[in-house]
């Protein structure tokens, strides 16, 4: 083939990128393309994306290539560029959300109409979401443990090296990149280069401690690689293949795959109950707003929500506690909380965010859908010194540790900190 377009989306890397590797093998000229559409993220998510794109462009230029950036509808812009070049085929990494599936179908239609080829490749998950089917029938696994068993024994494809050379057509104009603003505290600089450094450090120094430390709220003892996995700066397959001393960590990567295969089969996961149980939600905007601002009066919940506001990230244990508080105690619809998380999380992705929210709300894949998390007990157990709470709620600084989980038990009210929104005893 003469020219192939590689359409990047949630795969912003050059290492272990099956679509890019295949294009470089199949075609004389390769045109890497990213289309920024009107649904592009705002705020710190936008800065993260801009940094990822700048880094990707740098890596492609190091290989003699470039990244073409266009604005508009991804299908329209891809086909327009393909006609201009001209290109004979478009290569993409397959994705699972409703939007991604719709885009892929439209792209397939348009490519057919213009007599161009469209090939989809793996790369967003460790195991492609349509590869494992339950032996008893059905198009996906509904329960994690059987999926984990089969997933663990599955043969993996080969991890691919980055191409030595990306031969772009002469005179190709890359176009301006989106402008990077400031990320929250610079905690998560975007891009594959940073991601790979963090991955190597995590695997060398920390992964062995994961089983013991992953629930330590104050300790930052999880990988914090989720924003990079979400943007595809890291290949989940490569990460798994290198995590030889981290079974518990690899299990989390399997959870990610699990929710991807659920989403592929149930793309309306961000809107509809996966398993409706007829819950009636409480339409309480004030309570939802207090929750979003970290002003519920329950310290562990407020600390988690303020971590999200300040960092664009939240510890997994805090995500469970805050989500459970919203749906179980305030009885607010999971869609309200999930939408808020999705807008602010740097790792906000449809399968993991909505899959986990529905799990917590009891409408998803939890085999114990009535599970309720007690925020005070969780805080005592996973933040035993109250360090996490104090980090995000400076107004509780002077409260003794034994009362920091339940400041409503203090003999006097704490100035600047609210009473709990709902009775806590
Ligand atoms: P680690 O503990 O180091 O795990 C490594 C990787 O495994 C993570 O980066 C992530 O890709 C995957 N992973 C870990 N836990 C889970 C899980 N429970 N489900 C699926 N994948 C997992 N994760 C997201 O990536 N995006 C989201 O939008 C998201 N929303 C969530 C919402 C709620 C209500 C809850 C309870 C969890 C959510 N999670 C989400 C899962 C989990 O909290 C994060 O993946 C994790 O905290 C990211 O931190 P880490 O990279 O240090 O994870």
């Amino acid at each position: 083939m003469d020219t192939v377009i590689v359409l990047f989306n949630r795969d912003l890397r050059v290492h272990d990128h099956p679509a890019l590797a295949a294009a470089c093998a199949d075609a004389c000229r390769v045109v890497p393309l990213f289309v920024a559409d009107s649904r592009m993220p705002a705020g710190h998510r936008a800065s993260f994306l801009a940094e990822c794109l700048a880094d990707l462009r740098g890596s492609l230029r190091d290989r003699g290539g470039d990244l073409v950036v266009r604005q508009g509808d991804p299908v329209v812009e891809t086909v327009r560029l393909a006609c201009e070049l001209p290109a004979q085929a478009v290569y993409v990494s397959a994705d699972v959300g409703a939007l991604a599936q719709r885009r892929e179908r439209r792209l397939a239609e348009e490519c057919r109409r213009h007599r161009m080829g469209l090939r989809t490749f793996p790369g967003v998950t460790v195991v492609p979401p349509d590869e494992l089917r339950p032996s008893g029938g059905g198009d996906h696994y509904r329960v994690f443990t059987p999926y984990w068993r089969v997933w663990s024994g599955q043969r993996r494809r080969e991890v691919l090296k980055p191409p030595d050379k990306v031969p772009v057509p002469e005179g190709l104009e890359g176009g301006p990149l989106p402008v990077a603003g400031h990320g929250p505290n610079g905690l998560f600089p975007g891009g594959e280069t940073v991601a790979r450094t963090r991955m190597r450090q995590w695997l060398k120094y920390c992964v062995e401690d994961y089983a013991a430390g992953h629930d330590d709220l104050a300790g930052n003892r999880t990988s914090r690689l989720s924003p990079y996995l979400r943007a595809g700066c890291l290949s989940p397959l490569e990460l798994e293949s290198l995590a030889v001393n981290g079974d518990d960590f690899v299990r989390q990567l399997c959870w990610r795959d699990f929710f991807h295969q659920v989403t592929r089969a149930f793309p309306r996961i961000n809107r509809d109950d996966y398993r409706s149980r007829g819950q009636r939600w409480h339409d309480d905007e004030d309570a939802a707003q207090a929750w979003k601002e970290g002003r519920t009066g329950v310290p562990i919940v407020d600390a988690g929500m303020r971590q999200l506001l300040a960092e664009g990230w939240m510890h997994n244990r805090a995500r469970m506690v805050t989500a459970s508080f919203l749906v179980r105690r305030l009885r607010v619809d999971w869609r309200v909380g999930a939408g808020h998380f999705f807008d602010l999380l740097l790792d906000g992705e449809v399968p993991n965010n909505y899959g986990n929210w529905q799990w917590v709300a009891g409408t998803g894949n939890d085999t114990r859908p009535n599970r309720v998390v007690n925020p005070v007990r969780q805080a005592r157990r996973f933040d035993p010194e109250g360090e996490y709470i104090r980090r995000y709620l400076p107004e509780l600084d002077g409260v003794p540790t034994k009362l920091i989980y339940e400041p409503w038990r203090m003999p006097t009210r704490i100035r600047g900190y609210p009473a709990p929104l709902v009775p806590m005893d």
Side-chain angles (χ1 to χ4, degrees):
M1 249 181 307
D2 189 60
T3 306
V4 166
I5 291 178
V6 179
L7 178 59
F8 283 82
N9 185 26
R10 228 152 62 79
D11 48 0
L12 305 178
R13 63 175 185 271
V14 295
H15 289 79
D16 191 45
H17 194 299
L20 179 64
C24 293
D26 294 351
C28 304
R29 278 170 279 269
V30 173
V31 179
L33 169 67
F34 181 86
V35 183
D37 70 7
S38 56
R39 290 192 190 87
M40 281 294 111
H44 55 270
R45 286 186 55 161
S47 330
F48 184 80
L49 174 65
E51 288 162 3
C52 292
L53 292 173
D55 187 70
L56 177 61
R57 176 174 272 177
S59 302
L60 291 164
R61 284 185 175 166
D62 289 347
R63 291 166 172 80
D66 205 338
L67 178 69
V68 176
V69 176
R70 295 261 167 120
Q71 312 278 333
D73 176 275
V75 174
V76 173
E77 291 306 318
T78 304
V79 172
R80 196 199 309 275
L81 180 64
C83 294
E84 276 166 30
L85 285 162
Q88 290 74 52
V90 179
Y91 288 7
V92 292
S93 307
D95 203 350
V96 297
L99 210 73
Q101 290 195 36
R102 212 175 312 131
R103 187 168 49 220
E104 202 179 299
R105 278 196 300 274
R106 282 181 53 221
L107 192 56
E109 231 167 74
E110 286 301 302
C111 283
R112 239 188 335 266
R113 213 160 66 81
H114 288 85
R115 297 179 189 285
M116 278 180 298
L118 172 70
R119 281 186 67 193
T120 56
F121 291 82
V124 169
T125 48
V126 178
V127 172
D130 53 356
E131 206 159 292
L132 304 179
R133 293 283 159 87
S135 51
D139 58 357
H140 70 292
Y141 281 83
R142 292 170 177 273
V143 176
F144 176 74
T145 309
Y147 180 75
W148 161 243
R149 239 179 267 128
V150 179
W151 185 91
S152 313
Q154 172 78 356
R155 260 185 76 116
R156 304 292 191 244
R157 68 170 172 81
E158 186 195 350
V159 174
L160 302 169
K161 292 202 171 66
D164 293 330
K165 206 164 161 32
V166 180
V168 289
E170 233 167 81
L172 184 79
E173 289 284 335
L177 287 173
V179 181
H182 289 291
N185 309 329
L187 287 173
F188 294 97
E192 183 181 16
T193 308
V194 177
R196 292 187 72 76
T197 305
R198 292 187 172 195
M199 172 176 77
R200 280 192 289 269
Q201 285 172 346
W202 165 255
L203 293 171
K204 191 165 175 194
Y205 301 112
C206 312
V207 72
E208 285 181 39
D209 176 49
Y210 184 79
H214 71 279
D215 270 328
D216 170 5
L217 275 164
N220 283 338
R221 290 158 74 188
T222 64
S223 71
R224 296 165 77 91
L225 292 175
S226 51
Y228 303 102
L229 285 163
R230 191 251 161 238
C233 302
L234 292 177
S235 148
L237 175 69
E238 183 181 12
L239 178 58
E240 188 230 14
S241 74
L242 296 172
V244 284
N245 298 327
D247 284 354
D248 289 67
F249 175 71
V250 165
R251 195 179 161 92
Q252 296 314 112
L253 297 176
C254 180
W255 269 108
R256 183 174 181 276
D257 274 22
F258 174 76
F259 284 128
H260 277 73
Q261 57 97 48
V262 168
T263 303
R264 184 179 180 279
F266 185 70
R268 292 181 62 82
I269 193 165
N270 59 340
R271 289 165 183 231
D272 296 343
D273 289 353
Y274 175 80
R275 182 172 50 165
S276 184
R277 302 174 66 236
Q279 276 105 323
R280 298 175 82 90
W281 303 110
H282 191 35
D283 188 12
D284 186 342
E285 272 182 33
D286 290 345
Q289 190 57 30
W291 175 83
K292 288 178 187 175
E293 291 172 9
R295 290 189 299 103
T296 67
V298 180
I300 190 66
V301 174
D302 294 341
M305 296 309 294
R306 295 211 207 155
Q307 179 177 29
L308 176 62
L309 289 171
E311 299 177 6
W313 190 86
M314 198 198 294
H315 191 285
N316 178 60
R317 180 58 55 180
R319 294 187 203 205
M320 285 203 279
V321 173
T322 53
S324 173
F325 186 81
L326 185 79
V327 295
R328 303 286 187 188
R329 303 255 176 172
L330 302 181
R331 304 206 152 277
V332 170
D333 193 330
W334 60 264
R335 278 157 276 252
V336 173
H340 179 70
F341 268 37
F342 192 76
D343 287 345
L344 292 187
L345 280 170
L346 284 174
D347 63 29
E349 63 182 7
V350 169
N352 276 7
N353 187 49
Y354 293 93
N356 273 290
W357 267 94
Q358 294 224 36
W359 192 91
V360 172
T363 57
N365 302 90
D366 191 356
T367 47
R368 285 172 48 207
N370 296 321
R371 191 192 307 254
V372 178
V373 172
N374 179 316
V376 174
R377 248 182 269 148
Q378 292 274 313
R380 277 213 186 91
R381 183 156 168 217
F382 299 116
D383 187 25
E385 307 300 325
E387 192 184 334
Y388 179 78
I389 291 176
R390 285 195 188 88
R391 187 180 303 158
Y392 297 102
L393 303 183
E395 63 268 45
L396 299 188
D397 215 20
V399 177
T401 302
K402 75 177 192 320
L403 286 174
I404 202 160
Y405 313 109
E406 311 171 272
W408 52 88
R409 293 195 190 283
M410 291 277 283
T412 50
R413 270 203 59 195
I414 299 158
R415 275 189 58 200
Y417 192 67
L421 278 181
V422 282
M424 290 303 294
D425 294 318

